Amino acid sequence: MRIGIPTTAILTLAVASAVYAAPAAPAAPAASTHHLEKRGWLLDKMKEAFAKAVKSLECGACVSALVVAKDVSYLNKNWVLDAVSGMCTDFKIMPKDVCQGLVYSQGPVLIDAVRKASLLSGDGKFICHQVLGACAPQGVKSGQVSFPKPKPAFVVAPPHSGNTIDILHLSDWHVDDKYVTGSEAECNRPLCCRKYADSPLTPKRKASSWGDYKCDSPVKLGVDLLKFVPKVANVSFSILTGDVPPHDIWLQNRESVIREEDAAYRTMAEGLSTKLYPTVGNHEAGPTNLFPTKASGGDIQWLYDSLADDWSRWLPADAVNSVKNYGAYTVSPAPGLRIISLNTNFCYTLNFYLYASTNDYDPMGEVKWLVAQLQAAEDAGERAWIIAHVSPSQTDCIQNWSALYYQRYSPHVIAEQFFGHSHYDEFALSYGPGAKNAQNAIATSWIGPSVTPYTDINPGFRIYKVDTKSWNVFDSETYIADMNQAQTWDETGSSPNWHLEYSARKAYGASVPIAADQPLSAGWWHNVTSAFETSPAAFQNYWNFRGKSANRLPACNVANGCTKETICNLRAGKSSDACSEIRFSVKRDIHDDAEAADPTGLHTLYKRAEPKPWNKKLCGLGAQFNL
């Protein structure tokens, strides 16, 4: 798998190597004094050498830096962690408590993984390419996945019944039980609307009781959403595509995660009259993102046991037992339909445990398990829905989830549906072999809108109109509340104005007409992306929906390159198809007097590459670094 790591972590490892290549520290008269002086010298030199670490972006130099940093960690792992935390604070990347929380929760796993990685046999190049762009793309190594039985011949999809039911899709709950009404909504931390030790007595902008664009959801917002759903839909069952805890990842641990999830699932159980089928998100782990495998070592059984207990109110006994294994399960909510809930965090690019073995194309054997479930669905004549938190376009399993469609695609088995998550309102397509066109579009990845308004989007949920025999989606209706009216709701004693934002069939059918008896197929969605290429108005309509009509997204048009990149990403059903990578990069800005004016090289020799504000990563560490 290809791996992405946060800027501060990789640069600190590079700094460590640069420092260790520097002249030796002066000898100390006594062992204890020598130890303290050497530690202090190392921390100082790491900071001083920051410029040197970023000046060389050659692949070999980057890999060498990782190798030496690995050796430094064997000398004293805490020295590296202390240096990262200190640099994060000194360069004002984050407040001190956030820096320390992130470094000391995430750092040890990263360092241990680098120790196990085979840096000179390819792992180093993977890391250097993903983070710094210092090495050429390493490509995707394939593994062999085969089905127990031959692919059936001459099968056809079941006919539509003409009857539809309502399915509720919730995603990114992120309800913050530490949300404080009236607290600072414009704070200096990644997550606001809380009371921190240095919070001002008089906030610049007070947090309303219903929420804010810079914060996760207060509990009452989630409760109110659930109360509203029955007013617009007769829900048969619901799906939740992950992420229950809030975005305070510098504070998350085992105890906080269990407490927050227990409370949230209890709220959902009280507010929903139907069964809920959840998936495990990257924020469900404590610390966030870190899901160990059997090969990597590390304990996360506590999470699966806790989820099994929380989800047992909705799942049958066999599914509960499956959750205890690794957070995945399969269940049949209705005759003819099989839901397969995956734990795609085993292929998430910010799961540092995976760095130790980038050639493992099937961490925890979940792809093998998925194949068995698809075969069982085929044998039973069932249609299959795959639900997961991290969708195919965000994962890097070598044998990608969507690649299974390529091998086995049969309209009798796969109902062209993959349900994933995003804070935004998006969709993605998976294609079969050949050109990316309507005929080769074989699966739709429905990316559910978030309940949380973090960041700069309205809270929302979605209702699918699903045929009861073919199990295809005939319409997708997205509902939102206008968070910019939150202060008014408080002043008037009213509640959120939940309302229909748009029907996908009506909104996009205006550009790509569709017959009443046809579902919103992957081929139709491909044609919608084609309409985006030829009609700026159609694309801008989508762009407005993407931000859930909050009108707070940056401009996206042909002139700034955003339109082309966005459409390309909608057609990228695998992360290896992605049209751009969001990562730290620097470019040389050469002036004759630059080095003389700035000997450190930090401010003039190198600068951050031009940002693409329309393409931010809102999941995991990316959100904390505003990437």
Side-chain angles (χ1 to χ4, degrees):
M1 63 204 65
R2 201 178 56 208
I3 294 165
I5 57 181
T7 300
T8 51
I10 186 64
L11 288 180
T12 301
L13 292 179
V15 168
S17 68
V19 170
Y20 234 65
S32 59
T33 303
H34 172 72
H35 179 83
L36 292 175
E37 288 184 354
K38 188 174 184 180
R39 177 185 180 279
W41 170 84
L42 179 58
L43 295 179
D44 289 342
K45 288 298 182 180
M46 282 185 177
K47 297 170 186 177
E48 293 172 5
F50 182 82
K52 296 179 181 178
V54 298
K55 284 183 179 180
S56 175
L57 295 179
E58 296 177 353
C59 182
C62 179
V63 173
S64 296
L66 289 177
V67 171
V68 178
K70 182 175 179 178
D71 293 337
V72 172
S73 72
Y74 281 118
L75 178 65
N76 194 315
K77 182 179 5 182
N78 287 332
W79 288 1
V80 178
L81 296 176
D82 292 346
V84 178
S85 181
M87 290 173 61
C88 177
T89 302
D90 292 346
F91 288 113
K92 301 185 185 302
I93 297 172
M94 293 285 172
K96 184 176 181 179
D97 62 321
V98 179
C99 289
Q100 290 181 339
L102 283 173
V103 169
Y104 292 105
S105 63
Q106 303 280 331
V109 174
L110 173 61
I111 292 175
D112 287 345
V114 169
R115 285 178 173 181
K116 295 177 182 178
S118 180
L119 297 177
L120 296 179
S121 298
D123 291 354
K125 290 182 179 180
F126 267 88
I127 297 173
C128 288
H129 166 71
Q130 180 71 11
V131 180
L132 293 179
C135 297
Q138 299 302 295
V140 177
K141 297 181 177 68
S142 297
Q144 184 63 39
V145 176
S146 59
F147 281 76
K149 298 179 182 179
K151 180 177 179 179
F154 308 112
V155 294
V156 295
H160 308 305
S161 67
N163 298 316
T164 62
I165 57 175
D166 295 341
I167 308 299
L168 170 65
H169 186 178
L170 299 172
S171 192
D172 293 77
W173 185 256
H174 289 303
V175 169
D176 187 1
D177 59 0
K178 292 186 176 65
Y179 188 102
V180 177
T181 301
S183 62
E184 180 59 75
E186 282 283 355
C187 70
N188 62 345
R189 285 172 176 77
L191 184 64
C192 300
C193 300
R194 286 181 164 194
K195 287 289 187 181
Y196 295 108
D198 58 352
S199 293
L201 295 177
T202 304
K204 290 180 291 185
R205 192 179 79 247
K206 293 183 178 180
S208 81
S209 70
W210 291 105
D212 188 273
Y213 286 120
K214 300 297 183 183
C215 310
D216 274 328
S217 310
V219 174
K220 66 184 293 186
L221 181 68
V223 171
D224 195 73
L225 182 156
L226 296 177
K227 288 181 179 178
F228 176 78
V229 171
K231 298 179 181 179
V232 294
N234 182 20
V235 176
S236 293
F237 64 84
S238 307
I239 59 175
L240 169 68
T241 48
D243 270 11
V244 167
H247 283 89
D248 58 344
I249 72 171
W250 70 98
L251 299 173
Q252 289 294 348
N253 55 42
R254 172 177 176 169
E255 290 72 25
S256 65
V257 164
I258 291 177
R259 183 191 72 250
E260 290 156 354
E261 291 177 358
D262 285 348
Y265 286 120
R266 185 166 56 250
T267 297
M268 293 180 213
E270 294 171 352
L272 293 171
S273 59
T274 62
K275 288 188 175 182
L276 174 70
Y277 300 111
T279 61
V280 55
N282 62 299
H283 279 266
E284 265 69 297
T288 306
N289 303 328
L290 303 181
F291 288 77
T293 67
K294 292 178 181 178
S296 71
D299 175 33
I300 201 167
Q301 187 60 47
W302 59 268
L303 173 62
Y304 303 142
D305 290 343
S306 176
L307 290 178
D309 184 57
D310 287 329
W311 296 354
S312 63
R313 52 174 54 97
W314 298 299
L315 302 182
D318 60 339
V320 172
N321 289 333
S322 182
V323 172
K324 291 181 179 179
N325 289 331
Y326 41 69
Y329 65 90
T330 179
V331 66
S332 177
L337 176 64
R338 173 67 46 182
I339 288 180
I340 303 172
S341 177
L342 295 178
N343 182 357
T344 44
N345 295 289
F346 292 130
C347 290
Y348 185 38
T349 56
L350 288 176
N351 182 1
F352 294 162
Y353 278 109
L354 305 179
Y355 292 9
S357 179
T358 60
N359 290 324
D360 186 357
Y361 69 90
D362 188 13
M364 290 293 287
E366 197 176 17
V367 171
K368 183 178 179 180
W369 177 83
L370 173 58
V371 167
Q373 307 316 311
L374 290 174
Q375 183 67 67
E378 183 177 273
D379 293 344
E382 296 173 327
R383 300 279 267 168
W385 280 8
I386 297 176
I387 65 174
H389 179 67
V390 185
S391 58
S393 60
Q394 297 172 305
T395 62
D396 266 327
C397 265
I398 302 309
Q399 183 63 50
N400 201 282
W401 310 125
S402 55
L404 294 173
Y405 288 116
Y406 306 163
Q407 288 191 22
R408 192 65 168 187
Y409 180 65
S410 165
H412 176 64
V413 180
I414 305 298
E416 297 185 324
Q417 320 301 337
F418 185 108
F419 298 88
H421 93 110
S422 175
H423 287 216
Y424 299 127
D425 183 344
E426 301 175 284
F427 64 91
L429 298 170
S430 292
Y431 296 83
K436 290 185 177 180
N437 53 43
Q439 289 70 36
N440 280 283
I442 59 178
T444 303
S445 188
W446 298 92
I447 311 298
S450 64
V451 173
T452 181
Y454 180 92
T455 58
D456 286 329
I457 48 182
N458 284 321
F461 66 91
R462 182 177 291 154
I463 299 294
Y464 297 110
K465 303 292 184 179
V466 180
D467 186 87
T468 57
K469 190 170 185 179
S470 67
W471 296 104
N472 279 324
V473 176
F474 272 70
D475 202 1
S476 167
E477 297 178 343
T478 302
Y479 290 82
I480 61 170
D482 297 313
M483 189 52 64
N484 62 352
Q485 299 182 24
Q487 294 291 349
T488 301
W489 301 334
D490 280 345
E491 294 168 1
T492 60
S494 57
S495 57
N497 64 333
W498 299 105
H499 61 279
L500 176 67
E501 181 191 20
Y502 75 102
S503 153
R505 192 177 195 93
K506 292 179 181 178
Y508 298 126
S511 301
V512 184
I514 182 172
D517 62 348
Q518 295 299 307
L520 305 187
S521 67
W524 179 78
W525 278 110
H526 173 90
N527 290 334
V528 170
T529 66
S530 296
F532 292 166
E533 291 178 312
T534 58
S535 172
F539 178 82
Q540 289 305 318
N541 196 34
Y542 158 75
W543 191 249
N544 181 51
F545 294 151
R546 186 176 188 265
K548 290 184 279 185
S549 296
N551 297 317
R552 298 172 71 89
L553 294 184
C556 184
N557 50 54
V558 174
N560 64 13
C562 173
T563 300
K564 181 179 180 180
E565 184 174 302
T566 300
I567 294 172
C568 181
N569 281 325
L570 293 177
R571 296 171 177 170
K574 297 185 297 181
S575 62
S576 55
D577 294 335
C579 309
S580 65
E581 293 180 0
I582 309 168
R583 62 173 186 266
F584 177 85
S585 60
V586 291
K587 60 182 181 181
R588 194 168 181 85
D589 186 12
I590 299 177
H591 301 285
D592 292 340
D593 59 348
E595 194 157 356
D598 180 24
T600 67
L602 278 176
H603 304 295
T604 57
L605 282 180
Y606 287 86
K607 64 180 181 180
R608 198 179 182 93
E610 294 302 320
K612 296 179 178 179
W614 63 80
N615 198 354
K616 290 186 178 182
K617 186 181 295 184
L618 291 180
C619 201
L621 288 176
Q624 313 310 326
F625 291 99
N626 198 32
L627 296 177

